[in-house]
Structure formats: C-alpha cells, structure tokens
Amino acid sequence: MQLAEVKHIYHNELEGIYRKEEIDSLFYRTIEHFLNLERFVLVLQPRLTLTKKEEQPLFETLSRLKKEEPVQYILGEAYFLDLVFKVNEHTLIPRPETEELVQWIIEDHNKQSDGILNTIDIGTGSGCIAIALAKLLPHTKVYGLDISLEALKVANQNKGLHEVEVEFVQGNILNLETDAIDFSESMFDIIVSNPPYVRESEKAKMHNNVKGYEPTTALFVPDDNALVFYKALAEFSAAFLKDGGTLYVEINQYLGLETKSIFESKNFKDVVLKKDIFGNERMLRCKK
C-alpha cells in the first residue's frame, strides 16, 4: 500500500473525532516515530510504497486513536521544551502551559552564577519539570517528589535518557510526616509544582483523551476542597523554602484569586499571577 493511501485512510477513519489539522499532525508524528520519515516525504516521494511490516504499526496506532487514546501514550513519548520524555498511563502528558512555568523559572534564575540552587519539583510525574530545570538551568541541584512509584520509574528512565542528576523521592505532599522523609537538611531556593487542580465538576468539559486515559489522581480534586494541594504547598514552603526563595505553581485558571490568598495568608511576598499563552491565569509566583 502507498503511504498516501494510508494518510487518506487516517482522515476517513478519524474524521469527526479530530480536526483535519490534528489528523495530519497525528499521521506525520506516527510515520516519523515508526518509519523515521519526515513530514515532507509525500512531496518528495508521492508514490512511496510500504511493506506489510511497515503498515502494521500505523494501523495499530490508528485503531487506538479511534478510541481517543492520546498519541503520546501510544508512542510512549511526549515533547517538552524541545526535549523528548517517556510517558505512560501513570504520568500526565506535559502541556504547553507547564513549559511556560519552567521558562518563567529559567528567565528568573539563569543569570545567577554563584552557588547552587536547591530546587524541588513536587508532583513530578514523568520528571519533565525537574529534568528540564536540571538540564537548562545552570548551577541547580534538583529533587523530584511524587506519590506514585510507577510515575517515579518513568521519571528515572527520563533522567537516564537526558543524563542529568535529579534525586527522585516517593512521598505524598498531603502527608509527608508519616512518609518519614527528612527534608530538615534541605532548604530550597526554588519550589515548583503542577499539582492536581481540576475540580470534579469541571471533568464533563474535558476531552475524552484526557479524562479517559490520564491518571485521575494527578488531575482531579474535590469541589469542596479544590485548593487542598496549594494549602499543603504553602505549609511545606513556609517550612522548607529559604528566606528570599521563590515558589512557582501552576493553577486552576478559575481560582487564581483564591489561590493567591492562600499564599498571602502565609505571609509570602510579591505574590504574582501570570497568564499563559491562551490568556488564562495559569501560573503563580511568590517569595518567602
């Protein structure tokens, strides 16, 4: 079968589930992953013919895409700040908004030349934030904390893939005392977190490829305690953030002022809300 025919089948089978531009992106990403073919291959070789062996993973992927499974889980990888990270059903898929959060940290600290910046990423998942900071921000000692052992396995794989030094630790930010993790020696210059913040009532508005496949414990919080993780982060930062240190968090766009008030009530200074590329209040920064 010719590659152009496979592309036509992708469009026929996925129409109504994805937009035309998304189908093109899914098709080209799939052939790049499995066949190492660039996007422009059909321009250069319009009659390129595939073997049955080459066709098989393309149609297996198509079958899973029809069920709205995220392509990142199908391929086992996602992009974050132009870096490739392994992902699976135990880890969230990195988002552009989270890239902006990391870029904010880098912009604030990349000119620092003296001393080591002790940094912790709370709820590290795939490790994309922690590893990106270790790779892109000089003079940084990075830790990553997550409740999920399965997620930490992926994070450690990504650490090896990118050849950086990050110490990943299992722990629950809501219950660190009983996890017997000793942070008494580790006063942090930077604390960063992208915690669960989507309220259960907001689930209905989300796409099936998110709510049907991504780990619910990393996404959702109860409506009657939607800011539980920010309260825990404020307590943790009050104890373990150095004086003059900075906390960065990704937030629910509908709860910006409420989230801000949590950190102000704990006497954090310079509490700033920042909009993402879509114009939503998605990030918060404050200092101790």
Side-chain angles (χ1 to χ4, degrees), residues 64-109:
R64 295 170 71 176
L65 288 172
K66 287 171 67 175
K67 298 175 184 176
E68 299 187 67
E69 184 175 351
V71 68
Q72 294 90 342
Y73 289 161
I74 299 171
L75 305 183
E77 63 182 30
Y79 295 106
F80 185 78
L81 291 172
D82 297 325
L83 303 171
V84 178
F85 287 86
K86 294 181 181 297
V87 293
N88 64 23
E89 69 275 13
H90 301 292
T91 65
L92 285 183
I93 296 167
R95 302 296 202 276
E97 301 93 313
T98 310
E99 290 183 327
E100 293 184 73
L101 182 69
V102 173
Q103 288 169 331
W104 198 11
I105 298 171
I106 292 171
E107 289 167 6
D108 283 350
H109 299 280

Side-chain angles (χ1 to χ4, degrees), residues 24-257:
D24 279 339
S25 178
L26 291 168
F27 171 75
Y28 286 118
R29 187 162 181 183
T30 300
I31 66 169
E32 181 182 7
H33 179 83
F34 288 111
L35 305 179
N36 199 29
L37 294 174
E38 299 288 349
R39 290 183 66 93
F40 50 77
V41 62
L42 286 175
V43 176
L44 300 177
Q45 302 180 66
R47 299 183 184 278
L48 179 64
T49 300
L50 304 178
T51 66
K52 290 291 184 184
K53 184 178 180 180
E54 290 171 329
E55 288 176 16
Q56 183 178 347
L58 306 188
F59 286 111
E60 288 175 351
T61 298
L62 175 60
S63 178
R64 295 170 71 176
L65 288 172
K66 287 171 67 175
K67 298 175 184 176
E68 299 187 67
E69 184 175 351
V71 68
Q72 294 90 342
Y73 289 161
I74 299 171
L75 305 183
E77 63 182 30
Y79 295 106
F80 185 78
L81 291 172
D82 297 325
L83 303 171
V84 178
F85 287 86
K86 294 181 181 297
V87 293
N88 64 23
E89 69 275 13
H90 301 292
T91 65
L92 285 183
I93 296 167
R95 302 296 202 276
E97 301 93 313
T98 310
E99 290 183 327
E100 293 184 73
L101 182 69
V102 173
Q103 288 169 331
W104 198 11
I105 298 171
I106 292 171
E107 289 167 6
D108 283 350
H109 299 280
N110 64 0
K111 294 181 181 177
Q112 181 166 333
S113 58
D114 56 326
I116 299 295
L117 290 169
N118 279 325
T119 301
I120 186 167
D121 170 28
I122 296 175
T124 195
S126 66
C128 62
I129 292 176
I131 291 166
L133 288 173
K135 198 170 183 72
L136 302 175
L137 190 61
H139 314 297
T140 308
K141 169 61 179 175
V142 186
Y143 301 82
L145 178 77
D146 204 280
I147 191 173
S148 168
L149 274 176
E150 294 298 326
L152 291 175
K153 289 179 184 177
V154 178
N156 276 302
Q157 288 178 341
N158 284 320
K159 178 175 75 170
L161 182 68
H162 291 287
E163 300 180 329
V164 293
E165 289 298 323
V166 179
E167 185 175 339
F168 290 113
V169 181
Q170 186 188 23
N172 181 356
I173 188 62
L174 301 183
N175 197 22
L176 276 181
E177 289 182 0
T178 58
D179 284 330
I181 297 173
D182 183 12
F183 285 108
S184 59
E185 300 288 326
S186 303
M187 296 296 284
F188 296 104
D189 300 281
I190 298 169
I191 295 174
V192 57
S193 182
N194 177 20
Y197 59 70
V198 181
R199 290 172 289 187
E200 288 285 345
S201 60
E202 296 168 345
K203 186 185 293 188
K205 302 175 185 177
M206 301 181 74
H207 294 298
N208 290 334
N209 62 343
V210 177
K211 64 184 179 184
Y213 290 94
E214 297 198 56
T216 57
T217 54
L219 282 170
F220 299 110
V221 288
D223 283 49
D224 60 0
N225 199 11
L227 299 176
V228 57
F229 285 96
Y230 299 95
K231 294 171 185 174
L233 286 165
E235 293 285 350
F236 180 87
S237 300
F240 298 110
L241 189 64
K242 290 180 182 178
D243 289 340
T246 314
L247 170 69
Y248 300 82
V249 289
E250 188 169 323
I251 66 170
N252 186 315
Q253 69 188 75
Y254 305 112
L255 298 172
L257 293 178

